[in-house]
Amino acid sequence: MLGERREAILGMIIDYYIKTGEPLGSKTLCSMLPYTISSATIRNEMAFLTGIGFLEQRHTSGGRVPTKAAYRYYVDNIVKLYPLSGYEMQKINEVLSINASDPERLLASAGELLSEQTGCAAFFSTLKDPYDCIQGIELIPAGNNKAMLVMLSLGGKIKSSVCTVNCPIDDEFKELFYSITKQFFIGTPLVDIDLSFIQSTAPFLGARIFDMLPILSSLCSLCSEATNGVLSISGETKLLSQAELGNSIYKLLVLLAQKDKLEELLSEFAKAKAPSVLLIGDENPVYELRNTVMAVQKFKYNNNQTATLGIIGSLRIDYESVLSRVDYIMKTVESYLTQGGVRYE
């Protein structure tokens, strides 16, 4: 620990730099302190903070700016999260409650909300689950030989598509459809549903295989879509306004566009024990992210499904405001996921 005075000086330098992007000199700092202290003492304290790697002087005659190590100390020891106002919490709850019963849509809404509330890029990911099974299938006629096919997995994934068949979707057709889905599909792992599996239903369907094939092929596609993990990123362009990222913004945007390195990082995090992590600067194992702050939380829900949700911003984010909002949104999402769409205060 630094002690009260040094901590206060470091906190003011970081706060000033976050707000202005400018270094803070000893004379200006002296006038900002709520108590009297000489400029010489301030310079000595700033020299100490520089010596331990918390401040750096980019120009000989310039003031000091915080280092990545300083931001870590700042977050761990100085920043205090504050409760959001009742109005702010209500607006967040209204947005998230709309898709509270659909995990992927809930996570997508949360990602967009995080980006909007923090001014950072935000993301969510779901991991591939080889054990997820089909829980239910519905066929809803829509006229003109069209129908909506809806598939629900045991892990809470909901997928749908519109199909066109070459015969009327009457009671006989629906009875045959539900008979075959009950016999072959309900309870079957999503990863097992492929074209060869569809072909195995031919002896049961007989001549009606050709009538049923468009529906079953669409079901196969829905299962494939539900099996694969998802990584969705929103608000990438907000990073362009964060001047602290400098020229590293281009490599960062390429990383977010290609996704593979980020997917690998999130997959590793999902396997770790920690439920959440805040990576500052060089703490991040991905080179392109080493000028950023990355906050990630992991969620377990339904049939052992795993998802991550987080933000990426520059080192100069308003930590107090951003982390307070991230904290509330994460807790709200976790409440909806673990309680199946119902949030308990």
Side-chain angles (χ1 to χ4, degrees):
M1 298 294 289
L2 291 176
E4 184 178 347
R5 186 167 68 187
R6 287 170 177 166
E7 199 167 272
I9 290 171
L10 179 64
M12 294 186 77
I13 291 172
I14 294 177
D15 286 340
Y16 184 84
Y17 188 63
I18 286 173
K19 291 175 182 176
T20 68
E22 298 293 332
L24 184 60
S26 58
K27 289 184 179 180
T28 305
L29 178 56
C30 191
S31 66
M32 294 169 61
L33 286 169
Y35 43 80
T36 302
I37 186 171
S38 69
S39 294
T41 301
I42 291 288
R43 285 194 294 272
N44 289 337
E45 297 292 29
M46 292 172 77
F48 174 84
L49 293 170
T50 301
I52 64 172
F54 280 2
L55 297 178
E56 61 181 347
Q57 191 174 21
R58 294 177 178 173
H59 305 287
T60 305
S61 60
R64 306 302 202 278
V65 297
T67 63
K68 295 173 183 177
Y71 286 119
R72 169 49 68 188
Y73 185 91
Y74 179 73
V75 168
D76 291 345
N77 300 283
I78 300 176
V79 170
K80 305 296 182 186
L81 300 188
Y82 61 84
L84 304 187
S85 69
Y87 175 78
E88 289 173 317
M89 291 189 289
Q90 179 186 350
K91 295 311 253 182
I92 289 171
N93 293 339
E94 285 176 357
V95 171
L96 296 180
S97 64
I98 294 172
N99 294 308
S101 298
D102 185 332
E104 281 195 16
R105 289 183 177 177
L106 170 63
L107 290 163
S109 295
E112 293 173 0
L113 189 60
L114 279 169
S115 180
E116 176 188 316
Q117 292 274 321
T118 66
C120 300
F123 59 84
F124 83 89
S125 72
T126 58
L127 270 65
K128 184 173 182 177
D129 179 11
Y131 304 107
D132 199 8
C133 301
I134 296 179
Q135 182 177 8
I137 305 171
E138 290 293 331
L139 185 67
I140 306 168
N144 297 323
N145 292 359
K146 292 184 178 181
M148 174 171 283
L149 180 65
V150 182
M151 188 278 296
L152 171 66
S153 79
L154 195 60
K157 295 179 180 178
I158 302 172
K159 301 294 180 181
S160 64
S161 65
V162 175
C163 313
T164 301
V165 297
N166 297 319
C167 66
I169 305 175
D170 52 20
D171 290 342
E172 180 185 353
F173 184 93
K174 289 191 291 183
E175 183 179 350
L176 179 61
F177 173 78
Y178 286 117
S179 176
I180 195 171
T181 54
K182 181 178 180 181
Q183 181 171 339
F184 287 88
F185 293 91
I186 303 299
T188 301
L190 299 176
V191 294
D192 291 346
I193 309 298
D194 54 20
L195 292 178
S196 63
F197 186 91
I198 299 297
Q199 291 170 359
S200 70
T201 65
F204 180 88
L205 289 169
R208 299 221 64 180
I209 181 67
F210 299 104
D211 294 333
M212 198 65 64
L213 192 56
I215 300 286
L216 298 183
S217 297
S218 182
L219 178 58
C220 180
S221 297
L222 294 182
C223 291
S224 176
E225 182 182 342
T227 299
N228 296 324
V230 173
L231 172 57
S232 178
I233 303 170
S234 56
E236 304 99 308
T237 55
K238 287 183 168 60
L239 297 174
L240 292 169
S241 65
Q242 299 184 8
E244 181 73 6
L245 292 171
N247 291 332
S248 66
I249 183 63
Y250 302 108
K251 291 182 179 179
L252 178 55
L253 291 176
V254 170
L255 172 87
L256 297 180
Q258 294 178 344
K259 294 186 178 180
D260 52 338
K261 287 185 181 179
L262 184 57
E263 283 181 329
E264 184 178 350
L265 176 63
L266 295 175
S267 179
E268 289 300 315
F269 170 67
K271 297 173 186 175
K273 292 183 179 180
S276 63
V277 66
L278 179 67
L279 300 172
I280 299 176
D282 295 339
E283 296 169 0
N284 205 307
V286 177
Y287 175 79
E288 292 88 342
L289 294 170
R290 290 188 175 178
N291 285 323
T292 72
V293 172
M294 182 176 179
V296 193
Q297 181 153 331
K298 174 174 60 181
F299 303 96
K300 293 282 188 180
Y301 58 98
N302 287 350
N303 186 37
N304 203 35
Q305 303 294 299
T306 304
T308 65
L309 177 66
I311 63 164
I312 297 171
S314 82
L315 294 168
R316 272 185 56 217
I317 61 170
D318 183 344
Y319 289 88
E320 188 175 76
S321 174
V322 167
L323 295 183
S324 295
R325 295 172 189 284
V326 168
D327 180 67
Y328 185 78
I329 291 172
M330 295 294 190
K331 286 178 178 176
T332 304
V333 170
E334 183 173 38
S335 177
Y336 280 132
L337 287 174
T338 56
Q339 301 297 336
V342 179
R343 184 167 192 269
Y344 296 97
E345 301 292 344

